[in-house]
Amino acid sequence: MLAIREFQRGLGRFSAIVSALGLLVFLVLILGALADGLFYGATGAVRSTSATAYAFDDEAEGSLVRSRLTEVDVAILAQAPGVEQAGPVGVLLTGGEGPQGTLSLSVFGIDMGSAGTPTTLVEGRLPDPGESGVVAADERLTDEGVVLGSTIAVGDVTAEVVGLVADASYQLQPSVWTSVATWRAMRDAVRPELRGQPDGINAVALVTTPGASLSEIAAAAPGITVLSAEATGLAIPGVEQQSSTLNSIIYTTLAVAALVVALFFALLVLEKRELFAALKALGASTSRLGGGVIVQAAVASVLGVVLGTVVARLFGLVIPPQVPTLFRTDTLVTIAVFTVVAGIVGAVFSLRRIARIDPATAIGGVL
Amino acid sequence: MNEDPVVQATGAVPDGTGPSPAADALSHAGALLQVRDVRKVYGEGHTEVVAVSDATMAVDEGEFVALLGPSGSGKTTLISIIGGLLSATSGTVRIGDVEVTGMSRRDLTRFRAERVGFVFQSANLVPFLTARENLLYVAGLVKTPRAAAKSRADQLLEELGLIGRAGNLPEQLSGGERQRVAIGRALMNDPDLVLVDEPTAALDTAMGRQVVELLRREIKARGKTGIMVTHDLRMVEYTDRVFEILDGELTHVEEPSTLGH
Ligand SMILES: Nc1ncnc2c1ncn2[C@@H]1O[C@H](COP(=O)(O)OP(=O)(O)OP(=O)(O)O)[C@@H](O)[C@H]1O
Ligand SMILES: [Mg+2]
């Protein structure tokens, strides 16, 4: 009762801490949206498929575009222990033409239905196995006017869009998914130096049995490295560095939030020493008074989270679309929980101060 | 300033219902409060201060007594020990069948909430709670049922002439009204003992008299036992008996009339 009434009747002072926390939450949420936007935008194409692992040549360092394999490797890996399915993967980062002009694209050539097939179809259909001249396009391309039935051209090779897939960007470029043959035709059209490699692919997508050893699979195919799908995402240039940089800023900001709360409540307790001494003299226990401070910190943190979230979402509306941001609910929940915990941890530091207040100082104006 | 509806007569001392002071008032069996050889020494070595030296006193149930003495004589120290706010260096304090000296801090907190009512020099009300909420807060410390606490708070505020001010915050009350709220708060949990330290220090004389008179009336009407610390001789006329303390020595025990004023 005491803690909540103080909050209600002292809104002026508590609005200071709520705004400060709201500002920090806003900052963390925007950074989180940026981190998620970069991560998901860079790695969608290796996360949103049936593949659980990818095989590369030994020199590729886990990069799909640098790796050079052939379709022979697909057959070898399909026989490796622990491999359920193996499918070719061809990747081409290129420019193309869409209904409204030029597009940045990542073209994926795969065997539809085999390992590496997209799992995030949201509209239309995937190309049939062996079907050429059609693609499933990244949902993001609808911002560029792409709809079912649109034609996308790479060089002089055209393909019709028959389906849309979600969360499928690669290195922030929206993807299109087609047969290996169509992909190879597009590659030859824009990269003449790669012509004359009729069975060349970049990597092999694998569906492995649960618990399969990736190093055993690699051992079955000389010159080949196998990485899990997750590791493949992190191996994309910049992804790991960006994630760890943004995450450390986020955690630092949360630590600052704890510090701000700690300072605020330390000051508040200092200011209320005389009152707390009197209440202790009247028989209020340290835990009751401390509990009130914790409740106030929790309420302030929750309100700060609400304020910060609202501001961040409004701000999200004015972020230009070329800045990759993604507001994810689970990131929001994580940040909300961390903020409230940081707030409570900050307030815990004032408990010792409350415990040290001597009720004897209340009487006789000794203070 | 002096428009309080409750305090009609000023100057007249209501009749006490306490027992007449006995010759053995310093110590006798059956008293509600028994203080025996209480000594309090602050500090050590050459910074040592004997604030209270071997004080012995007894107060019967229903008595309202004064503890009179000049500044620095040890009044606050003694009353703090009696109320379980301060530990004595030696000696014992008993309230009813409970020995206060020797209780743990935790038990003392509970003991104060349940059995002792304090009125401080400055009212020390919770500034963000209304007059009524200030009373209800202490009721919450001993888990009084909500409805019972509410009716008791309203009854006390009524008796203290504050019912029209029940919804006011302390900053919207005069000094005398605040002190009256503090009296209500001290009585809220139906304590055995009410301890009052210089309740009139922050008030002018007229207001001070009003507050002390009201305090006496409430204590007497409820059959409570009260000790009021004061250095103001004019306030002792409202009490049944006077203990005088000088340099830590509890020296005199007298009836107010014999002190003369
Ligand atoms: N915490 C303390 N540490 C050391 N000495 C103290 C402490 N509190 C009180 N004293 C000393 O003990 C003596 C008695 O103090 P106490 O506060 O009991 O006096 P008092 O009669 O209440 O005085 P006043 O009328 O000024 O309030 C004084 O000499 C004082 O300086
Ligand atoms: Mg004093």
Side-chain angles (χ1 to χ4, degrees):
Chain A
M1 162 175 129
L2 192 72
I4 298 302
R5 278 277 187 277
E6 181 179 14
F7 215 111
Q8 287 171 340
R9 302 220 166 104
L11 275 184
R13 86 176 22 182
F14 283 102
S15 66
I17 185 71
V18 170
S19 328
L21 282 173
L23 193 71
L24 292 170
V25 169
F26 162 75
L27 198 67
V28 167
L29 283 177
I30 294 297
L31 288 170
L34 212 55
D36 285 343
L38 285 168
F39 178 78
Y40 284 84
T43 63
V46 295
R47 282 182 299 100
S48 303
T49 78
S50 62
T52 55
Y54 288 86
F56 307 89
D57 77 45
D58 279 345
E59 272 81 59
E61 292 174 359
S63 163
L64 286 174
V65 282
R66 274 169 75 175
S67 176
R68 297 279 181 270
L69 296 179
T70 67
E71 302 210 9
V72 176
D73 298 310
V74 180
I76 294 171
L77 284 159
Q79 303 302 317
V83 173
E84 276 178 7
Q85 271 186 340
V89 180
V91 185
L92 174 66
L93 295 176
T94 180
E97 285 287 326
Q100 293 175 359
T102 56
L103 306 168
S104 295
L105 292 177
S106 52
V107 180
F108 281 77
I110 57 169
D111 275 356
M112 290 294 164
S114 182
T117 305
T119 52
T120 54
L121 186 71
V122 286
E123 213 183 320
R125 65 176 178 88
L126 293 175
D128 289 326
E131 185 183 12
S132 283
V134 294
V135 298
D138 192 331
E139 218 185 5
R140 276 175 66 199
L141 287 170
T142 55
D143 291 344
E144 313 280 345
V146 172
V147 292
L148 294 189
S150 295
T151 300
I152 287 176
V154 173
D156 56 2
V157 182
T158 61
E160 186 197 343
V161 175
V162 295
L164 296 175
V165 292
D167 185 22
S169 308
Y170 180 69
Q171 295 199 15
L172 302 181
Q173 311 215 147
S175 58
V176 293
W177 300 77
T178 187
S179 66
V180 173
T182 304
W183 162 75
R184 204 168 279 139
M186 290 176 170
R187 181 197 70 184
D188 290 351
V190 294
R191 304 282 293 277
E193 75 277 12
L194 294 177
R195 282 176 196 165
Q197 297 182 23
D199 70 346
I201 55 172
N202 291 96
V204 179
L206 303 174
V207 175
T208 54
T209 54
S213 154
L214 299 184
S215 51
E216 266 177 42
I217 297 172
I224 281 178
T225 305
V226 179
L227 293 180
S228 70
E230 197 185 340
T232 305
L234 292 176
I236 294 170
V239 166
E240 199 161 12
Q241 296 88 323
Q242 281 161 357
S243 298
S244 63
T245 305
L246 287 169
N247 281 335
S248 54
I249 300 177
I250 288 170
Y251 291 122
T252 309
T253 311
L254 288 171
V256 169
L259 202 67
V260 166
V261 172
L263 281 174
F264 178 82
F265 283 98
L267 280 177
L268 207 62
V269 168
L270 201 66
E271 188 187 276
K272 290 196 294 188
R273 259 173 60 191
E274 210 172 328
L275 176 64
F276 278 177
L279 295 181
K280 279 186 163 189
L282 294 174
S285 60
T286 296
S287 54
R288 176 182 284 263
L289 298 174
V293 171
I294 301 285
V295 166
Q296 287 178 341
V299 171
S301 310
V302 169
L303 292 179
V305 167
V306 171
L307 179 71
T309 306
V310 169
V311 176
R313 296 313 279 260
L314 290 176
F315 189 76
L317 297 177
V318 301
I319 295 179
Q322 50 284 23
V323 179
T325 51
L326 183 64
F327 289 92
R328 287 171 49 86
T329 310
D330 52 357
T331 303
L332 171 64
V333 169
T334 309
I335 288 173
V337 168
F338 269 78
T339 306
V340 174
V341 169
I344 291 172
V345 167
V348 163
F349 284 103
S350 53
L351 293 186
R352 208 167 28 113
R353 231 172 248 279
I354 296 175
R356 276 205 307 250
I357 293 173
D358 183 356
T361 57
I363 201 164
V366 181
L367 249 174
Chain B
M1 282 286 272
N2 207 344
E3 53 194 35
D4 191 285
V6 170
V7 181
Q8 303 96 346
T10 43
V13 185
D15 284 330
T17 55
S20 58
D24 59 346
L26 275 175
S27 166
H28 63 99
L32 178 91
L33 169 69
Q34 296 207 31
V35 177
R36 204 176 275 279
D37 300 325
V38 165
R39 184 177 179 81
K40 179 68 182 179
V41 182
Y42 289 112
E44 280 173 18
H46 44 254
T47 64
E48 186 176 288
V49 178
V50 180
V52 175
S53 68
D54 305 313
T56 295
M57 67 191 279
V59 181
D60 283 324
E61 192 167 344
E63 270 193 298
F64 182 36
V65 303
L67 185 57
L68 184 70
S71 186
S73 55
K75 308 181 294 293
T76 296
T77 303
L78 181 56
I79 204 174
S80 297
I81 292 170
I82 291 172
L85 288 174
L86 202 61
S87 59
T89 307
S90 61
T92 56
V93 174
R94 296 184 75 87
I95 295 178
D97 51 359
V98 183
E99 187 169 329
V100 180
T101 38
M103 275 170 101
S104 71
R105 275 177 67 122
R106 195 191 180 84
D107 289 343
L108 277 174
T109 302
R110 206 189 147 86
F111 169 79
R112 289 197 301 269
E114 288 173 355
R115 317 260 318 244
V116 184
F118 286 101
V119 179
F120 308 115
Q121 183 170 330
S122 58
N124 250 326
L125 301 176
V126 182
F128 41 83
L129 295 183
T130 64
R132 181 188 280 114
E133 287 167 347
N134 263 285
L135 266 56
L136 293 176
Y137 177 73
V138 291
L141 297 179
V142 296
K143 302 189 173 62
T144 313
R146 196 97 184 116
K150 271 194 168 136
S151 70
R152 184 169 172 84
D154 284 343
Q155 191 200 338
L156 278 164
L157 290 167
E158 175 87 55
E159 288 172 18
L160 294 162
L162 288 167
I163 199 71
R165 297 258 185 270
N168 286 27
L169 294 174
E171 64 182 17
Q172 301 162 326
L173 298 172
S174 74
E177 285 169 337
R178 273 180 234 167
Q179 217 40 300
R180 272 144 58 195
V181 175
I183 292 170
R185 181 174 66 176
L187 292 166
M188 189 64 197
N189 288 346
D190 202 20
D192 297 330
L193 192 62
V194 179
L195 301 177
V196 188
D197 194 5
E198 306 269 9
T200 61
L203 305 177
D204 62 35
T205 313
M207 189 71 89
R209 283 182 173 279
Q210 246 187 48
V211 165
V212 175
E213 188 172 354
L214 204 53
L215 182 65
R216 176 188 169 84
R217 179 142 24 113
E218 286 297 328
I219 286 176
K220 288 293 173 185
R222 290 169 189 278
K224 298 292 161 212
T225 307
I227 303 178
M228 176 174 70
V229 162
T230 185
H231 61 256
D232 187 347
L233 207 54
R234 288 167 302 181
M235 295 302 161
V236 305
E237 65 178 88
Y238 296 94
T239 61
D240 302 326
R241 281 196 290 150
V242 180
F243 290 88
E244 208 171 359
I245 188 167
L246 249 175
D247 285 336
E249 307 271 353
L250 206 53
T251 50
H252 292 283
V253 187
E254 290 186 55
E255 285 182 78
S257 52
T258 65
L259 279 162
H261 34 83

